[in-house]
Amino acid sequence: MDELPFWFHPDANVELLAAHDRYFEVRPELAEDFEAELERSRQVIARSPHTWPAYLFGTQRYLMKRFRLT
């Protein structure tokens, strides 16, 4: 099955960039790990978009195993 188109809500993009910057300040390698985990998550979601539980406003939610945005 082909992957479905995937995009992040603009507000989520702002949060992701802020998280990346925080990780980079702590350790640049940590920011790289965050990027890699984010890409893996994107691929998993795109392959099976209906797998993830319902969340707010008709969205679905996927939590990364290593990095948790709070």
Side-chain angles (χ1 to χ4, degrees):
M1 176 185 222
D2 292 332
E3 289 185 3
L4 294 175
F6 186 96
W7 55 273
F8 288 107
H9 186 279
D11 291 345
N13 276 332
V14 171
E15 290 183 31
L16 292 170
L17 291 172
H20 178 274
D21 291 348
R22 284 195 304 271
Y23 291 131
F24 188 85
E25 288 173 7
V26 172
R27 199 174 83 229
E29 298 83 11
L30 191 57
E32 290 176 17
D33 292 348
F34 177 71
E35 288 177 31
E37 181 68 15
L38 184 60
E39 178 57 23
R40 276 190 297 277
S41 298
R42 188 206 62 77
Q43 291 172 2
V44 167
I45 294 165
R47 280 194 304 266
S48 303
H50 303 293
T51 302
W52 315 109
Y55 193 56
L56 303 174
F57 310 109
T59 62
Q60 289 171 278
R61 184 175 181 176
Y62 177 89
L63 297 175
M64 293 190 284
K65 292 181 190 326
R66 182 172 175 200
F67 295 92
R68 301 286 171 120
L69 299 177
T70 57

